[in-house]
Amino acid sequence: MASLRGLFLALAASLTAAWLIGHQNWAAVGLLLLFGRVLCQRDRRTTWLTVGVIVIIGLRCGQLLAQRQAQTQPAGDFTGQLTVQPDAWRINGDLASAVAVTESGSKVQLFLTLQSQDQQRQLQEVTTPVKLNVTGKVEQILPATNTNEFDRRAYQANRGIYNQVTGKAPVLVAQASHRLTDFLHQLRANFSHHMANLPQPLAGYCRRLLIGEQDPATASEMVAVKQLGIIHLFCLSGLHLVVLCGVVRGLFARLGLTKETSRGLLLILLPLYWVVGGGSVSLGRASMMMELQLLGQLVGLRGMLPWAISLLIQTLISPSILLSMGASCPTCYRFA
């Protein structure tokens, strides 16, 4: 009964969010059908919990929509200081792009015109957070203009990014930081630099499967992989995390650690690896489900309950989870 109740609550939360955030009519129909199924259970506790979850997620969606409206800026001039993590840079000739953080703490998509080859080389080799005094233009991210075209505005909005800044930054200032998240981003940048020295295509595969980073050098190979329909094998997600955890468990066993100690260390390492692995939705889903699987061995979680709890938590954190390609699925829990 607990697994079924958890499944009802998780689906109610995700469908409510998909309806309110994504304006998906199918989600509203699905929510009505689900609520009808809950009423057929004739279980007051499940009914009231479902209503409570719908109300809470509705309030969370309202908060997110208000935040989106408050942070969306009209087109105009921009002058200010932005902070960029060392693993966020993507460089193509004299154009650099990254997700940057403003002084107020909001995220923007940054497109930067580099001033010289020295600046390009500096960004390619950077391993610490960088502060930039940017002068340029700020505007909303452009939406899709054709039917079935990739909607960059919706995609970035799901990541909490509502504006883009295009400009120049003549001076780059390395920023020393002692925060754990900054250290993990620096670690990821160092891993990327070291893996880039490996021969191709091994370098590209390592960067994709270990730290979730796309390597432009393997772009042509990825086109063939997509045509074959096996791109999921080259995306860091649930099954890869299970394999990595299996390798780590084997290493801990050879070091003489008990299962309980290994389990505790994995509970600590998984959130850290989520940052080093790129912080994607699919990896976050897999990490959370693996954490629940490890905790379930301690408190007896079985069946669909870990999957339901994972989806419920993810929906509360990111209401648009059901509309993303990395939506929660039970794969990680099944194979763990």
Side-chain angles (χ1 to χ4, degrees):
M1 184 60 187
S3 294
L4 185 60
R5 181 181 294 136
L7 180 62
F8 285 152
L9 298 180
L11 291 177
S14 57
L15 288 172
T16 301
W19 176 36
L20 297 177
I21 294 293
H23 307 291
Q24 303 292 326
N25 293 329
W26 60 263
V29 175
L31 183 62
L32 287 174
L33 293 174
L34 177 68
F35 194 70
R37 181 67 178 86
V38 170
L39 292 177
C40 290
Q41 290 291 113
R42 296 184 179 180
D43 183 350
R44 278 190 181 179
R45 185 176 181 184
T46 302
T47 302
W48 284 112
L49 284 174
T50 303
V51 172
V53 164
I54 291 174
V55 171
I56 291 173
I57 295 299
L59 294 174
R60 176 72 177 96
C61 291
Q63 178 192 20
L64 188 63
L65 291 173
Q67 175 185 336
R68 181 179 300 183
Q69 185 175 6
Q71 292 188 5
T72 300
Q73 300 181 24
D77 295 331
F78 177 88
T79 301
Q81 190 176 76
L82 301 176
T83 302
V84 182
Q85 293 293 348
D87 59 334
W89 291 105
R90 300 292 179 267
I91 300 173
N92 183 12
D94 64 348
L95 180 65
S97 62
V99 174
V101 180
T102 65
E103 294 176 283
S104 63
S106 60
K107 295 180 181 179
V108 296
Q109 178 66 53
L110 173 65
F111 296 99
L112 196 65
T113 301
L114 302 180
Q115 304 297 297
S116 64
Q117 291 185 348
D118 290 338
Q119 194 178 51
Q120 179 185 20
R121 186 164 48 252
Q122 182 183 1
L123 284 182
Q124 288 174 335
E125 299 174 355
V126 68
T127 57
T128 59
V130 173
K131 283 192 174 183
L132 312 96
N133 294 313
V134 179
T135 301
K137 300 287 185 180
V138 60
E139 59 184 348
Q140 294 185 44
I141 297 174
L142 297 177
T145 55
N146 298 316
T147 303
N148 297 325
E149 182 185 358
F150 174 67
D151 193 339
R152 186 172 298 278
R153 175 182 289 183
Y155 171 74
Q156 296 289 36
N158 292 338
R159 303 171 63 198
I161 304 171
Y162 312 114
N163 307 288
Q164 66 181 30
V165 173
T166 306
K168 300 179 180 180
V171 179
L172 307 178
V173 181
Q175 176 191 11
S177 176
H178 302 289
R179 297 191 308 172
L180 177 60
T181 53
D182 289 340
F183 170 76
L184 294 175
H185 283 291
Q186 293 177 49
L187 184 63
R188 183 170 186 255
N190 284 318
F191 280 159
S192 178
H193 294 325
H194 286 302
M195 292 175 188
N197 295 325
L198 297 173
Q200 292 291 356
L202 179 61
Y205 294 159
C206 288
R207 293 170 77 174
R208 275 182 172 269
L209 297 177
L210 294 179
I211 61 174
E213 184 177 86
Q214 296 185 18
D215 190 341
T218 59
S220 59
E221 295 181 20
M222 288 302 107
V223 172
V225 167
K226 290 177 182 178
Q227 292 174 345
L228 289 172
I230 56 174
I231 187 63
H232 59 280
L233 298 178
F234 295 86
C235 299
L236 184 56
S237 59
L239 190 57
H240 301 91
L241 188 64
V242 172
V243 173
L244 289 175
C245 286
V247 172
V248 173
R249 279 175 166 172
L251 177 62
F252 287 162
R254 288 186 175 274
L255 293 175
L257 301 180
T258 64
K259 289 184 178 180
E260 291 73 17
T261 303
S262 298
R263 193 175 299 141
L265 289 174
L266 281 173
L267 286 172
I268 297 173
L269 292 174
L270 281 171
L272 304 182
Y273 180 68
W274 174 68
V275 179
V276 176
S280 66
V281 173
S282 59
L283 183 58
R285 175 263 301 166
S287 300
M288 186 177 297
M289 291 199 64
M290 182 63 72
E291 292 260 328
L292 290 171
Q293 192 266 344
L294 294 171
L295 290 172
Q297 295 175 1
L298 297 176
V299 299
L301 294 178
R302 294 293 183 269
M304 295 291 291
L305 193 55
W307 177 83
I309 294 174
S310 173
L311 181 56
L312 191 59
I313 295 174
Q314 290 178 87
T315 304
L316 188 62
I317 297 173
S318 178
S320 57
I321 179 70
L322 196 63
L323 304 176
S324 71
M325 292 298 292
S328 187
C329 74
T331 304
C332 181
Y333 182 73
R334 268 199 332 232
F335 290 96

